[in-house]
Amino acid sequence: MQGETRRPGWSAMGLALWMTACGTTNPSLKAEAPLAKDTIAFVNVNVVPMDSERLLAHQTVVVRGERIVALGPVDSTPVPEGAARVEGQGRYLMPGLVDMHLHLVPGTGQPEDPAGQVLALLLANGVTSARALGGPKDTSRVVRDRVARGEVLGPTLRVAAPSMHGKSVQGPEQARQRVREYKAAGYDGLKTHGFLGRDTYDAMMAEARAQRLPVSGHVTPDVGLFHALKSGQQLEHLDGYLNELLPENDPARAEVGQVEVGEPLERMDPARLPALAEATKKAGVWSSPTLALFETVTSPEGVKSLRARPELRYVKQASVETWTQMMSNDSQMANAPAERKRRFAELRRQVTRGLYEAGAKLMVGSDSPQLFMVAGFAVHREMEALADAGIPPYGVLEAATRNAAEYLGEAGTWGTVAKGRRADLLLLESNPLQDVKHTRDIAGVMVRGRWLPRSELDALLERTAVVANAPPLVKKGVATATSPAP
């Protein structure tokens, strides 16, 4: 939600730099399976392939290097001699999760720097691919490339160029020039915060198509939802939809920002949603709703309940205090009636459900780390928010896995569990097709063929907690690492 809205206080809401140096891993934690072998077999596991809504029971999945080389019934699929075995009985193997909207923080991805800690939190939560729609200009590509070369451990990254908006780009010619520069610099896509004006926006989109760079981001009233759909922009935050729920010629259409808890809410008519959803489907435009962030921002329970989130153990207290002040100091939000906050959240859920039911594609994006949204953990919060909006479990899992691969044009490479696919895998203790909350119950993660059992994930988490100066967890008198909190 890194966004300009009509409330100046919210325009400052953005990336909080919340980690510094890191500690070492806990020496008492031992790996559950050898990590040095080139071949690993998941034996007698239930596979959620995500090529359709189905479950393949009692399978063996063999990984060699970075690829799945075999998948079939346990009785007829041999385990190669010398392969490391991972017990799969009673467990579920699915593709790794994808966060299509996060923000990188400073660093080069080393465990001791903030960027490395974000990578660790993502992996510990089963995120094996991610797209950065913001971050330090000079280091984001460095982190992406170091991960790709295997120099640091983290999810496969896509990195967008610095945001193009009304203050960073002046006029159509500069927009075209910036797009060409960003293409030459090796960015994977473009991000816009809007407020460009129609002519500059059109120049950006035309040059982006010529350079084959996808454009994602905000939609502001100067462009409007329907023009953004026609232009093929990938939409973040459901920007523009609430404006279109207002009556035609309503002056608030040009004023409603990303967060609206004022009287225009009373004039928004959900009956307009089917037409908007159908137009989105027809345009082939994909959306990342970021429901969980906006529900956090407008939570009727207030800041006290947000400060109690268990994953804040992995965030420096200074960042928690900054987030608290940002939300507490916005008097308009603090004084808004709880019922209006609920209506705002419910309208966004209705938009999301309408898009899904119309067949418009959704993707999971957390917009973390910021405002009580902790990297990795925020992906699960977003998935659960989508489920609360009425999206069935398989639809949520699609948004969190294969949809991202399809949007990026790489569905034949990753995003599903099949022979030949990249081995980005999530091993769960419970069936995610029954409840998306089961994606938190992680037995291990495989990223590009590297197996990280539960103990290794706990070590990543505990190291991050050390950086954040959190006290060790105590269970039965023994200090322990922690698993992802529900």
Side-chain angles (χ1 to χ4, degrees), residues 51 89 105 119-120 157 184 219 231 260 266 286 300 303 330:
D51 55 2
Q89 185 172 3
V105 294
L119 298 181
L157 295 173
V219 175
S231 301
E260 179 56 69
E266 310 304 326
W286 301 56
V303 174
D330 189 297

Side-chain angles (χ1 to χ4, degrees), residues 79-356:
V79 175
E81 184 177 354
R85 296 171 63 102
V86 177
E87 177 57 51
Q89 185 172 3
R91 291 171 166 174
Y92 298 81
L93 192 69
M94 64 170 285
L97 305 177
V98 187
D99 189 342
M100 286 294 281
H101 188 152
L102 58 76
H103 294 265
L104 288 178
V105 294
T108 60
Q110 290 297 121
E112 64 271 14
D113 69 35
Q117 296 301 319
V118 168
L119 298 181
L121 289 175
L122 292 170
L123 288 178
N125 282 278
V127 178
T128 57
S129 295
R131 181 181 63 171
L133 290 182
K137 178 180 179 181
D138 297 328
T139 60
S140 294
R141 287 166 296 159
V142 171
V143 175
R144 176 198 64 188
D145 295 344
R146 295 197 73 202
V147 169
R149 291 193 297 265
E151 296 173 5
V152 295
L153 183 63
T156 300
L157 295 173
R158 301 291 189 281
V159 176
S163 176
M164 300 180 69
H165 52 79
K167 293 182 179 180
S168 68
V169 178
Q170 303 298 318
E173 183 51 42
Q174 189 177 52
R176 287 187 284 266
Q177 179 183 345
R178 286 282 171 81
V179 173
R180 292 191 291 266
E181 290 173 353
Y182 292 151
K183 175 68 174 182
Y187 287 103
D188 301 305
L190 303 177
K191 165 73 179 290
T192 178
H193 276 92
F195 296 105
L196 289 163
R198 183 69 66 88
D199 291 344
T200 302
Y201 176 87
D202 288 345
M204 175 188 70
M205 294 300 298
E207 189 63 34
R209 286 191 292 271
Q211 299 295 334
R212 297 188 177 182
L213 283 177
V215 180
S216 304
H218 300 217
V219 175
T220 44
D222 55 303
V223 170
L225 175 64
F226 283 100
H227 191 70
L229 293 177
K230 181 180 178 181
S231 301
Q233 178 190 326
Q234 190 260 304
L235 304 181
E236 294 295 313
H237 315 302
L238 303 178
D239 279 3
Y241 285 95
L242 295 191
N243 307 63
E244 292 294 337
L245 297 184
L246 289 164
E248 293 184 14
N249 302 320
D250 190 315
R253 280 186 170 224
E255 300 175 359
V256 167
Q258 289 183 310
V259 179
E260 179 56 69
V261 290
E263 55 85 22
L265 281 174
E266 310 304 326
R267 303 195 300 277
M268 292 180 184
D269 183 3
R272 297 174 180 268
L273 279 175
L276 299 179
E278 185 59 33
T280 306
K281 167 64 170 13
K282 185 176 180 179
V285 167
W286 301 56
S287 297
S288 176
T290 61
L291 291 180
L293 173 64
F294 285 85
E295 291 175 12
T296 294
V297 168
T298 59
S299 171
E301 287 74 26
V303 174
K304 184 177 180 179
S305 66
L306 301 178
R307 289 175 64 98
R309 288 184 172 182
E311 62 262 38
L312 294 183
R313 182 170 187 264
Y314 308 105
V315 179
K316 280 190 168 296
Q317 186 63 30
S319 295
V320 177
E321 296 303 328
T322 297
W323 297 343
T324 299
Q325 292 176 15
M326 290 175 68
M327 295 187 64
S328 300
N329 291 343
D330 189 297
S331 59
Q332 189 169 9
M333 183 62 62
N335 296 329
E339 185 53 40
R340 280 191 175 167
K341 293 181 179 180
R342 294 189 185 96
R343 177 167 172 77
F344 171 75
E346 179 54 31
L347 281 172
R348 287 176 53 82
R349 293 188 195 106
Q350 290 181 40
V351 172
T352 302
R353 185 167 60 250
L355 291 173
Y356 176 80

Side-chain angles (χ1 to χ4, degrees), residues 48 50 53 94 97 125 356 364 376-377 379-401 426 428-442 485-486:
V48 183
M50 291 307 300
E53 189 172 359
M94 64 170 285
L97 305 177
N125 282 278
Y356 176 80
V364 166
F377 295 92
V379 170
H380 294 283
R381 289 194 177 274
E382 178 66 8
M383 293 173 66
E384 290 158 17
L386 290 172
D388 290 342
I391 312 301
Y394 181 74
V396 176
L397 296 179
E398 276 189 314
T401 58
L426 183 56
L428 304 173
E429 300 289 2
S430 305
N431 187 354
L433 292 172
Q434 295 178 347
D435 191 332
V436 297
K437 290 182 180 179
H438 292 163
T439 58
R440 291 181 180 261
D441 196 4
I442 299 172

Side-chain angles (χ1 to χ4, degrees), residues 22-47:
C22 84
T24 58
T25 56
N26 188 331
S28 67
L29 296 174
K30 298 180 180 179
E32 296 163 3
L35 300 182
K37 293 186 179 293
D38 182 62
T39 303
I40 298 177
F42 298 88
V43 181
N44 197 21
V45 70
N46 301 304
V47 175

